[in-house]
Amino acid sequence: MRRITAKCPTVEVPTMARSTDDTMALPLDVHVMRAAARSLLAEHADLFSEEQLETLTLQLRAHLMLAIPVVEALADRFPEDDVPSACAYSAVMEARTRLGLEPRRSVAGRGAYAQRLARSVNALCDHYENLSGGQPVVLDPERAALLGLWNHCLGCETCMARDEEGGNAHLPCATADRLYQVYRRAWHSPASASAETRGRL
């Protein structure tokens, strides 16, 4: 199958402040995130052009990739029997599932997919505000590495390239490969704060 590349729209993410112990202090801009979600859940959402829909979908995916490790890190602070954190874990799992799905080729199918992403964005914003009080969250090395990988991929034309059927072309990217290896090393590290909680997900 012939593969083609496509230039993806620029997706802005909040500035990440790195601390001295290789973690990241990261706030979520819930106002920007909710605004993006609201545009897809409004009554006129079906009037978006294909290009506008693609741009909004990429923005929502970026917001979810940013919010998932942050909300997960917040939930890790609470006991296993804590109800709000358990609900947050469920929202994280659902968001991950939706990120892994491929939308249908039709405009209606892509619109429905984007709306599901928008609902997950809203849900994670709710859990972030409920668990953090709106304060910045410090991420452990594993999640910081994962976030670095995601941030690269979202802004990389090679990683975001599409084939002629609209799916990801899976083109090789040396930078993404290197960042993935950094993430794998952090994931296997005994110092990873989330290692004890993976079984809960």
Side-chain angles (χ1 to χ4, degrees), residues 46-120:
D46 58 342
L47 301 180
F48 285 124
S49 67
E50 291 188 37
E51 182 178 354
Q52 290 173 322
L53 188 59
E54 180 182 1
T55 299
L56 287 169
T57 299
L58 286 172
Q59 290 175 341
L60 290 170
R61 288 180 64 86
H63 290 318
L64 286 178
M65 290 178 177
L66 190 64
I68 284 172
V70 174
V71 173
E72 189 178 47
L74 280 169
D76 286 349
R77 299 176 178 179
F78 296 85
E80 291 189 12
D81 59 352
D82 182 74
V83 174
S85 66
C87 293
Y89 279 125
S90 295
V92 164
M93 286 192 295
E94 184 175 55
R96 281 200 177 111
T97 299
R98 288 173 172 173
L99 280 176
L101 297 175
E102 286 288 340
R104 296 180 179 178
R105 298 179 186 178
S106 66
V107 175
R110 292 199 294 271
Y113 172 74
Q115 288 181 331
R116 287 193 290 271
L117 295 181
R119 294 187 183 96
S120 279

Side-chain angles (χ1 to χ4, degrees), residues 127-141:
H127 291 299
Y128 172 77
E129 292 178 324
N130 185 36
L131 297 178
S132 75
Q135 298 301 312
V137 180
V138 176
L139 301 184
D140 59 79

Side-chain angles (χ1 to χ4, degrees), residues 18 21-23 139-149 178-196 198:
R18 187 176 293 277
D21 61 349
D22 201 32
T23 60
L139 301 184
D140 59 79
E142 176 193 336
R143 294 193 180 100
L146 180 59
L147 194 57
L149 173 61
R178 177 179 58 80
L179 292 173
Y180 177 68
Q181 292 305 317
V182 171
Y183 164 66
R184 279 180 57 85
R185 288 194 295 271
W187 191 85
H188 288 292
S189 171
S192 175
S194 61
E196 298 178 358
R198 291 187 191 116

Side-chain angles (χ1 to χ4, degrees), residues 7 24 36 58 82 97 162 197 201:
K7 184 177 180 62
M24 289 183 180
L58 286 172
D82 182 74
T97 299
R162 299 286 175 176
T197 63
L201 299 181

